[in-house]
Amino acid sequence: EVQLEESGGGLVQPGGSLKLSCGASGFTFSGAVMHWVRQAPGKGLEWVGRIRSKTNAYAKDYIPSVKDRFAISRDDSKKMTYLQMNSLKTEDTAVYYCTTFDYWGQGTLVTVSS
Amino acid sequence: DIQMAQSPSSLSASVGDRVTITCRTSQSINIFLNWYQQKPGKAPTLLIYTASNLQSGVPSRFSGSGSGTDFTLTINNLQPEDFATYYCQHNYNPPHTFGQGTSLEVK
Protein backbone atom coordinates (compact mmCIF):
# COMPACT_ATOMS: atom_id res chain seq x y z
CA GLU A 1 0.00 0.00 0.00
CA VAL A 2 1.32 3.41 -0.99
CA GLN A 3 1.61 5.88 1.85
CA LEU A 4 2.82 9.45 2.09
CA GLU A 5 2.91 11.12 5.48
CA GLU A 6 3.80 14.74 6.13
CA SER A 7 4.97 16.15 9.44
CA GLY A 8 6.49 19.30 10.83
CA GLY A 9 3.68 21.79 10.45
CA GLY A 10 2.76 24.26 13.14
CA LEU A 11 2.54 27.90 14.16
CA VAL A 12 5.43 30.16 13.23
CA GLN A 13 5.90 33.92 13.34
CA PRO A 14 6.35 35.96 10.17
CA GLY A 15 9.99 35.86 9.12
CA GLY A 16 10.50 32.50 10.78
CA SER A 17 11.46 29.12 9.39
CA LEU A 18 9.93 25.67 9.34
CA LYS A 19 10.96 22.36 7.80
CA LEU A 20 8.33 19.92 6.61
CA SER A 21 9.07 16.25 6.14
CA CYS A 22 7.32 13.63 4.05
CA GLY A 23 7.89 9.91 4.47
CA ALA A 24 7.03 7.51 1.67
CA SER A 25 6.39 3.80 1.44
CA GLY A 26 4.86 1.29 -0.94
CA PHE A 27 6.46 2.47 -4.19
CA THR A 28 9.87 3.00 -5.76
CA PHE A 29 10.66 6.31 -4.10
CA SER A 30 14.05 6.81 -5.71
CA GLY A 31 12.53 7.02 -9.19
CA ALA A 32 9.64 9.28 -8.30
CA VAL A 33 9.26 13.01 -8.84
CA MET A 34 8.11 14.45 -5.52
CA HIS A 35 5.94 17.55 -5.45
CA TRP A 36 4.70 19.89 -2.76
CA VAL A 37 1.24 21.41 -3.15
CA ARG A 38 -0.42 23.81 -0.74
CA GLN A 39 -3.94 24.98 -0.04
CA ALA A 40 -4.67 28.17 1.87
CA PRO A 41 -7.76 28.08 4.09
CA GLY A 42 -10.89 28.09 1.92
CA LYS A 43 -8.86 28.43 -1.27
CA GLY A 44 -7.82 26.25 -4.20
CA LEU A 45 -4.77 24.10 -4.76
CA GLU A 46 -1.41 25.70 -5.51
CA TRP A 47 1.57 23.76 -6.81
CA VAL A 48 4.67 24.87 -4.86
CA GLY A 49 7.56 22.94 -6.31
CA ARG A 50 9.11 19.60 -7.16
CA ILE A 51 12.31 17.61 -6.98
CA ARG A 52 13.17 15.13 -9.67
CA SER A 53 15.05 11.86 -9.27
CA LYS A 54 18.79 11.18 -9.20
CA THR A 55 18.54 10.23 -12.88
CA ASN A 56 17.53 13.83 -13.53
CA ALA A 57 20.20 15.26 -11.21
CA TYR A 58 17.69 16.01 -8.46
CA ALA A 59 16.56 19.05 -10.46
CA LYS A 60 14.23 21.36 -8.60
CA ASP A 61 11.55 23.82 -9.72
CA TYR A 62 9.48 26.30 -7.70
CA ILE A 63 6.77 28.87 -8.15
CA PRO A 64 8.20 32.42 -8.21
CA SER A 65 6.62 33.46 -4.90
CA VAL A 66 8.69 30.89 -2.96
CA LYS A 67 11.74 30.43 -5.18
CA ASP A 68 14.18 32.38 -3.00
CA ARG A 69 12.69 31.27 0.31
CA PHE A 70 11.79 27.58 0.04
CA ALA A 71 14.04 24.60 -0.72
CA ILE A 72 13.01 21.06 -1.53
CA SER A 73 15.36 18.17 -0.84
CA ARG A 74 15.17 14.40 -0.64
CA ASP A 75 16.95 11.47 0.96
CA ASP A 76 16.36 8.40 -1.18
CA SER A 77 17.96 6.10 1.42
CA LYS A 78 15.32 7.15 3.96
CA LYS A 79 12.48 7.56 1.41
CA MET A 80 11.98 11.10 2.62
CA THR A 81 11.39 14.44 0.99
CA TYR A 82 11.64 17.80 2.74
CA LEU A 83 10.42 21.35 2.32
CA GLN A 84 12.57 23.93 4.06
CA MET A 85 10.62 27.17 4.38
CA ASN A 86 12.42 30.37 5.33
CA SER A 87 11.36 34.00 5.63
CA LEU A 88 7.78 32.86 6.05
CA LYS A 89 4.95 35.26 5.29
CA THR A 90 1.35 35.27 6.44
CA GLU A 91 0.32 34.36 2.90
CA ASP A 92 2.23 31.06 3.25
CA THR A 93 -0.41 29.87 5.71
CA ALA A 94 -1.83 26.69 4.21
CA VAL A 95 -2.12 22.95 4.39
CA TYR A 96 0.96 21.53 2.67
CA TYR A 97 0.74 18.22 0.83
CA CYS A 98 3.51 16.07 -0.56
CA THR A 99 2.42 14.15 -3.59
CA THR A 100 3.39 12.18 -6.66
CA PHE A 101 0.06 13.37 -8.14
CA ASP A 102 -1.33 9.84 -8.12
CA TYR A 103 -0.71 9.58 -4.39
CA TRP A 104 -1.12 12.27 -1.74
CA GLY A 105 -0.31 12.64 1.91
CA GLN A 106 -2.90 13.81 4.40
CA GLY A 107 -1.33 17.25 4.61
CA THR A 108 0.21 19.28 7.41
CA LEU A 109 -1.01 22.73 8.45
CA VAL A 110 1.41 25.64 8.52
CA THR A 111 0.15 28.80 10.18
CA VAL A 112 2.21 31.97 9.88
CA SER A 113 0.98 34.50 12.39
CA SER A 114 2.23 36.82 15.10
CA ASP B 1 3.85 30.07 -17.44
CA ILE B 2 0.72 28.23 -18.54
CA GLN B 3 -2.55 29.71 -17.29
CA MET B 4 -5.59 27.59 -16.51
CA ALA B 5 -9.21 28.64 -16.97
CA GLN B 6 -11.63 26.19 -15.36
CA SER B 7 -15.39 26.60 -15.61
CA PRO B 8 -17.87 26.79 -14.12
CA SER B 9 -16.68 27.79 -10.64
CA SER B 10 -19.78 26.19 -9.17
CA LEU B 11 -22.44 23.83 -10.43
CA SER B 12 -25.72 22.56 -9.00
CA ALA B 13 -26.97 19.15 -10.04
CA SER B 14 -29.08 16.23 -8.90
CA VAL B 15 -28.34 12.56 -8.39
CA GLY B 16 -28.54 10.83 -11.75
CA ASP B 17 -27.57 13.93 -13.75
CA ARG B 18 -24.73 14.22 -16.21
CA VAL B 19 -22.35 17.13 -15.63
CA THR B 20 -19.48 18.59 -17.58
CA ILE B 21 -16.56 20.70 -16.35
CA THR B 22 -14.18 22.38 -18.75
CA CYS B 23 -10.57 23.47 -18.51
CA ARG B 24 -8.77 25.65 -21.01
CA THR B 25 -5.03 26.27 -21.03
CA SER B 26 -3.23 29.36 -22.32
CA GLN B 27 -1.02 27.28 -24.59
CA SER B 28 -1.04 23.75 -25.92
CA ILE B 29 -0.18 21.07 -23.37
CA ASN B 30 -0.76 18.09 -25.66
CA ILE B 31 -2.61 15.68 -23.35
CA PHE B 32 -0.74 16.46 -20.14
CA LEU B 33 -3.77 17.24 -18.03
CA ASN B 34 -5.00 15.70 -14.78
CA TRP B 35 -8.36 15.92 -13.01
CA TYR B 36 -8.78 15.64 -9.25
CA GLN B 37 -11.63 15.36 -6.79
CA GLN B 38 -11.39 16.89 -3.35
CA LYS B 39 -13.81 16.53 -0.44
CA PRO B 40 -13.80 18.90 2.56
CA GLY B 41 -10.90 18.30 4.92
CA LYS B 42 -9.35 15.66 2.70
CA ALA B 43 -6.46 15.49 0.28
CA PRO B 44 -7.25 15.55 -3.44
CA THR B 45 -7.54 12.25 -5.28
CA LEU B 46 -6.53 11.70 -8.89
CA LEU B 47 -9.44 10.83 -11.18
CA ILE B 48 -8.08 11.19 -14.70
CA TYR B 49 -4.50 11.46 -15.98
CA THR B 50 -3.17 12.41 -19.40
CA ALA B 51 -6.55 13.86 -20.28
CA SER B 52 -8.54 10.67 -20.68
CA ASN B 53 -7.03 7.82 -18.66
CA LEU B 54 -9.07 6.65 -15.68
CA GLN B 55 -7.03 6.21 -12.52
CA SER B 56 -7.24 2.74 -11.01
CA GLY B 57 -10.24 2.38 -8.73
CA VAL B 58 -12.14 5.37 -10.12
CA PRO B 59 -15.70 4.57 -11.25
CA SER B 60 -16.31 4.44 -14.99
CA ARG B 61 -18.97 7.16 -14.77
CA PHE B 62 -16.02 9.58 -14.75
CA SER B 63 -14.43 10.34 -18.10
CA GLY B 64 -12.07 12.90 -19.55
CA SER B 65 -11.42 14.16 -23.05
CA GLY B 66 -9.51 16.79 -24.94
CA SER B 67 -6.07 17.70 -26.16
CA GLY B 68 -4.12 20.82 -26.94
CA THR B 69 -5.82 23.61 -24.99
CA ASP B 70 -9.37 22.38 -24.35
CA PHE B 71 -10.32 19.63 -21.93
CA THR B 72 -13.49 18.24 -20.39
CA LEU B 73 -14.36 16.18 -17.35
CA THR B 74 -17.73 14.43 -17.59
CA ILE B 75 -19.53 12.67 -14.77
CA ASN B 76 -22.45 10.48 -15.85
CA ASN B 77 -25.22 9.35 -13.52
CA LEU B 78 -24.13 11.50 -10.58
CA GLN B 79 -23.97 9.67 -7.28
CA PRO B 80 -24.27 11.21 -3.80
CA GLU B 81 -20.57 10.71 -3.15
CA ASP B 82 -19.64 12.77 -6.24
CA PHE B 83 -20.63 16.10 -4.69
CA ALA B 84 -17.21 17.64 -4.11
CA THR B 85 -14.77 20.11 -5.62
CA TYR B 86 -12.98 19.25 -8.86
CA TYR B 87 -9.67 20.63 -10.13
CA CYS B 88 -7.82 20.38 -13.40
CA GLN B 89 -4.01 20.62 -13.46
CA HIS B 90 -1.50 20.58 -16.25
CA ASN B 91 1.55 18.33 -16.05
CA TYR B 92 3.29 19.70 -19.13
CA ASN B 93 6.17 21.63 -17.58
CA PRO B 94 6.59 23.46 -14.29
CA PRO B 95 4.91 25.28 -12.71
CA HIS B 96 2.18 22.62 -12.75
CA THR B 97 -0.68 25.04 -12.24
CA PHE B 98 -4.14 24.01 -11.06
CA GLY B 99 -7.42 25.37 -12.28
CA GLN B 100 -9.50 27.47 -9.90
CA GLY B 101 -11.78 24.58 -8.99
CA THR B 102 -15.42 23.68 -9.57
CA SER B 103 -17.68 23.15 -6.58
CA LEU B 104 -20.32 20.56 -7.46
CA GLU B 105 -23.31 21.01 -5.18
CA VAL B 106 -26.65 19.30 -4.67
CA LYS B 107 -29.53 21.07 -6.41
Side-chain angles (χ1 to χ4, degrees):
Chain A
E1 180 191 7
V2 171
Q3 286 193 319
L4 292 169
E5 185 170 1
E6 304 92 342
S7 60
L11 175 64
V12 61
Q13 292 188 337
S17 297
L18 208 57
K19 185 174 185 178
L20 306 183
S21 301
C22 173
S25 62
F27 65 100
T28 306
F29 179 81
S30 61
V33 180
M34 297 303 300
H35 303 264
W36 287 91
V37 172
R38 67 184 179 183
Q39 187 168 36
K43 302 297 184 182
L45 300 169
E46 181 178 39
W47 182 85
V48 174
R50 72 167 184 184
I51 184 167
R52 300 182 72 179
S53 67
K54 181 179 181 180
T55 301
N56 291 287
Y58 300 123
K60 308 173 190 67
D61 298 281
Y62 304 92
I63 52 173
S65 61
V66 309
K67 192 177 188 300
D68 298 325
R69 302 184 296 121
F70 289 11
I72 300 174
S73 60
R74 65 191 294 163
D75 184 333
D76 290 345
S77 67
K78 296 182 178 178
K79 298 185 180 181
M80 298 287 293
T81 187
Y82 307 96
L83 180 64
Q84 175 68 48
M85 303 184 293
N86 300 324
S87 302
L88 281 160
K89 305 176 180 181
T90 56
E91 53 264 40
D92 296 319
T93 294
V95 173
Y96 285 75
Y97 297 100
C98 71
T99 177
T100 59
F101 292 158
D102 43 357
Y103 301 107
W104 293 68
Q106 83 287 353
T108 187
L109 176 62
V110 172
T111 303
V112 184
S113 174
S114 55
Chain B
D1 295 354
I2 297 169
Q3 310 302 312
M4 312 291 287
Q6 183 177 342
S7 62
S9 58
S10 65
L11 182 56
S12 296
S14 302
V15 171
D17 283 355
R18 177 186 185 192
V19 299
T20 298
I21 299 169
T22 63
C23 189
R24 177 165 289 176
T25 59
S26 59
Q27 65 186 73
S28 177
I29 59 167
N30 197 338
I31 58 168
F32 294 105
L33 187 103
N34 299 334
W35 290 98
Y36 301 88
Q37 177 191 71
Q38 188 180 32
K39 296 183 178 180
K42 300 294 187 182
T45 59
L46 181 65
L47 297 174
I48 303 285
Y49 62 95
T50 52
S52 62
N53 291 281
L54 198 66
Q55 176 72 349
S56 175
V58 175
S60 59
R61 62 181 180 272
F62 291 90
S63 64
S65 64
S67 66
T69 61
D70 293 291
F71 301 88
T72 299
L73 173 69
T74 300
I75 313 172
N76 289 301
N77 187 23
L78 266 176
Q79 296 300 297
E81 60 269 28
D82 300 336
F83 293 97
T85 301
Y86 293 84
Y87 294 92
C88 61
Q89 179 210 28
H90 83 82
N91 196 18
Y92 186 66
N93 56 9
H96 297 304
T97 314
F98 289 86
Q100 300 88 337
T102 296
S103 177
L104 177 55
E105 302 162 345
V106 178
K107 184 182 287 184

